[in-house]
Amino acid sequence: MTSPRKTYIIANWKMNFTPGEASLYLNRLQKRIPAGRNPQVVLAAPTVALQTLSLQIDRRQCKLAAQNFYWRDYGAFTGETSISQIRSFVDYALVGHSERRYIFNESQEDIAQKVAAAIRNGVTPVLCIGETALERKDGETAAAIYNQLTSGLHEVSKEDISKVIIAYEPVWAISSNKNAKPAKPADIEKAQMIIRQDLAHLYGKDIAEAVPILYGGSVNADTAAGYLEIEGIDGLLIGGASLIADTFCAIVETAKRIKNER
């Protein structure tokens, strides 16, 4: 039997907050979040705020994540930041977020290289995958998940897969999408089953059961509990709702309660 998986609550601030605003937010958060690593609270802050926050953060309460980075460790790449340059600030890094895929046109190869770079530098990649509204309409959800998962993990060995977190974020459910429709628990449970089946095919059943799978897409204080109670879901990747400290704290408290009840 595999050991119980940790719960993760990740705030993705996206392109919001100056370093000063981020510092004020963290100060409010740390007054309310108790020390402890289950749930593991993670803040994916803008790159410009990571150094400031790293000097202030109590890592017994929460940790930092990079929202983006370039997969090369160093070189003549004007304007880019490598994971090796910020690895002393962060423990996690988002990779393959839908906004990176569909706004900035990151390729499957780019994403695979980023996953490998994060692992190489001792940072846990959070690989984001999920189908578009059109793929869902055409019945291609399973195919989209398989393609994004297998390509994103292309460089990851059986020994290293335990260092990866998967986040299922269907593009059609993300609140920043004007046509977003909240995902139903049944849809999410089915998707995580597909992901674990694909992981089992790649790495074996026991390993597949141990990999954390998070859900992201229109998560707020009212819906968090329902998503966290879904079998096989190990936490949440939160966008807009994470920008309000009180709302985010409420979600963390919900996660802790549900974890203790299991």
Side-chain angles (χ1 to χ4, degrees):
M1 179 181 292
T2 57
S3 60
R5 298 183 297 265
K6 184 186 291 188
T7 299
Y8 297 84
I9 303 296
I10 303 179
N12 180 11
W13 291 348
K14 305 188 180 184
M15 198 174 68
N16 294 287
F17 297 153
T18 64
E21 291 167 342
S23 178
L24 289 172
Y25 181 110
L26 179 58
N27 184 56
R28 291 188 64 185
L29 188 68
Q30 292 187 153
K31 288 179 179 179
R32 292 187 54 179
I33 299 294
R37 295 178 179 170
N38 209 351
Q40 177 65 71
V41 178
V42 181
L43 306 177
T47 303
V48 294
L50 289 175
Q51 184 174 22
T52 298
L53 294 178
S54 72
L55 298 173
Q56 176 186 354
I57 199 165
D58 183 341
R59 294 182 185 272
R60 296 171 300 175
Q61 293 177 292
C62 48
K63 297 188 178 182
L64 296 175
Q67 292 182 21
N68 185 41
F69 58 92
Y70 188 50
W71 60 270
R72 298 277 191 183
D73 287 345
Y74 60 88
F77 304 104
T78 301
E80 293 297 320
T81 301
S82 71
I83 195 68
S84 66
Q85 291 175 304
I86 56 175
R87 65 185 178 186
S88 63
F89 306 148
V90 303
D91 291 282
Y92 302 88
L94 304 184
V95 182
H97 191 281
S98 61
E99 291 160 3
R100 300 302 311 176
R101 292 178 189 269
Y102 300 112
I103 297 177
F104 297 99
N105 298 313
E106 286 190 0
S107 68
Q108 300 279 40
E109 182 179 356
D110 290 333
I111 292 165
Q113 294 283 8
K114 284 186 174 187
V115 170
I119 294 172
R120 181 172 69 244
N121 283 279
V123 175
T124 299
V126 181
L127 175 61
C128 303
I129 61 174
E131 77 280 15
T132 65
L134 181 59
E135 288 169 332
R136 180 174 184 245
K137 180 181 177 182
D138 291 343
E140 297 177 353
T141 294
I145 287 174
Y146 179 82
N147 289 336
Q148 292 178 18
L149 187 70
T150 56
S151 62
L153 298 177
H154 180 69
E155 303 289 332
V156 180
S157 67
K158 191 172 185 178
E159 291 71 30
D160 284 338
I161 187 60
S162 62
K163 303 171 184 176
V164 177
I165 295 172
I166 306 298
Y168 172 62
E169 47 147 26
V171 181
W172 49 270
I174 297 173
S175 58
S176 57
N177 179 349
K178 63 180 181 180
N179 297 315
K181 298 179 180 179
K184 296 178 181 178
D187 294 328
I188 300 169
E189 185 172 5
K190 181 178 179 180
Q192 72 82 24
M193 290 176 64
I194 293 171
I195 293 169
R196 293 202 192 278
Q197 288 170 1
D198 292 340
L199 287 170
H201 175 73
L202 293 170
Y203 300 103
K205 184 178 179 180
D206 289 345
I207 291 176
E209 289 300 314
V211 174
I213 297 178
L214 317 184
Y215 171 70
S218 300
V219 177
N220 56 46
D222 294 327
T223 62
Y227 292 139
L228 287 166
E229 289 170 349
I230 297 170
E231 185 69 26
I233 292 298
D234 305 301
L236 303 170
L237 175 59
I238 306 163
S242 72
L243 299 178
I244 303 170
D246 289 343
T247 300
F248 185 66
C249 285
I251 294 173
V252 172
E253 290 164 4
T254 296
K256 189 172 185 64
R257 174 180 58 80
I258 292 174
K259 184 70 178 179
N260 289 338
E261 290 174 353
R262 286 183 170 175

